[in-house]
Amino acid sequence: MNKLRKAKNGSVTILQGLTFFLEDLLAWGVLLALLYHGWARLSRYLADPSAISTSTGFRNLLADALLIAMGAEFVRTFLEHTPETVVEVLTFAIARHMVIDKLSMLEILAGCAAVLLLIGGQYFVSDKRAQHALKLAKMQKKSNIETDGGPVCVPLQEEDAALSH
């Protein structure tokens, strides 16, 4: 039984290492493609600045810039594995869609609401909220207040008042 557990742990370690290697390889591939194609897309605006003088040309420039930003965030997603990077990729995708497509006012409103929901959702998975909860728990522990299992209300000190706003 112990040998079987060690063999399983060894194969899990190998698979995790292989997965990280594959993710790094994909990140490098996306980054190199991003650099090559990003430069090719943006260099045409440097070669011919009059291309952005029309509204269509300017919209194309914004679409290309947002596409490059999405690619950079996608590479970060491979490397960091955090919910924040996924939310940023989705935010850039929605923003790019809103910029390049000719949308009705209702679709623009829906896009704005989606970005607002993503940013609001990011707050709930962010480290800032966890750090705030941890600090409040430490304050509760320092107060040494005996309770019957209910919530403890601790007066905020001046330095902690900034966190509550």
Side-chain angles (χ1 to χ4, degrees):
M1 183 68 173
N2 199 13
K3 287 182 181 181
L4 182 62
R5 186 175 295 161
K6 285 183 181 179
K8 184 178 178 184
N9 288 341
S11 65
V12 167
T13 304
I14 291 171
L15 285 174
Q16 285 176 338
L18 192 59
T19 303
F20 288 134
F21 174 74
L22 182 61
E23 286 176 345
D24 288 344
L25 189 65
L26 285 172
W28 276 106
V30 170
L31 182 64
L32 292 174
L34 179 68
L35 290 173
Y36 177 76
H37 291 289
W39 175 253
R41 284 180 173 267
L42 293 181
S43 65
R44 63 183 169 179
Y45 299 110
L46 295 173
D48 184 19
S50 64
I52 60 172
S53 62
T54 65
S55 63
T56 304
F58 185 67
R59 182 177 287 148
N60 290 339
L61 171 68
L62 289 177
D64 290 342
L66 285 170
L67 185 64
I68 292 167
M70 272 177 41
E73 291 297 324
F74 193 62
V75 170
R76 273 189 49 209
T77 303
F78 274 125
L79 301 175
E80 291 184 12
H81 302 287
T82 61
E84 288 88 2
T85 56
V86 173
V87 168
E88 289 172 6
V89 169
L90 291 173
T91 304
F92 277 117
I94 293 169
R96 184 176 188 274
H97 176 69
M98 290 172 57
V99 168
I100 63 170
D101 294 339
K102 294 181 180 178
L103 303 174
S104 68
M105 289 306 270
L106 186 60
E107 291 170 324
I108 290 173
L109 182 63
C112 291
V115 169
L116 184 66
L117 283 172
L118 283 170
I119 291 171
Q122 185 176 10
Y123 168 76
F124 287 105
V125 296
S126 72
D127 290 336
K128 292 176 188 172
R129 184 171 185 264
Q131 288 172 355
H132 179 67
L134 183 64
K135 190 165 189 169
L136 288 178
K138 285 181 181 178
M139 285 174 40
Q140 232 175 11
K141 195 173 186 179
K142 284 181 184 178
S143 67
N144 293 327
I145 297 174
E146 295 291 327
T147 65
D148 58 352
V152 176
C153 296
V154 179
L156 291 175
Q157 298 173 359
E158 288 180 26
E159 61 192 36
D160 298 322
L163 286 174
S164 64
H165 294 290

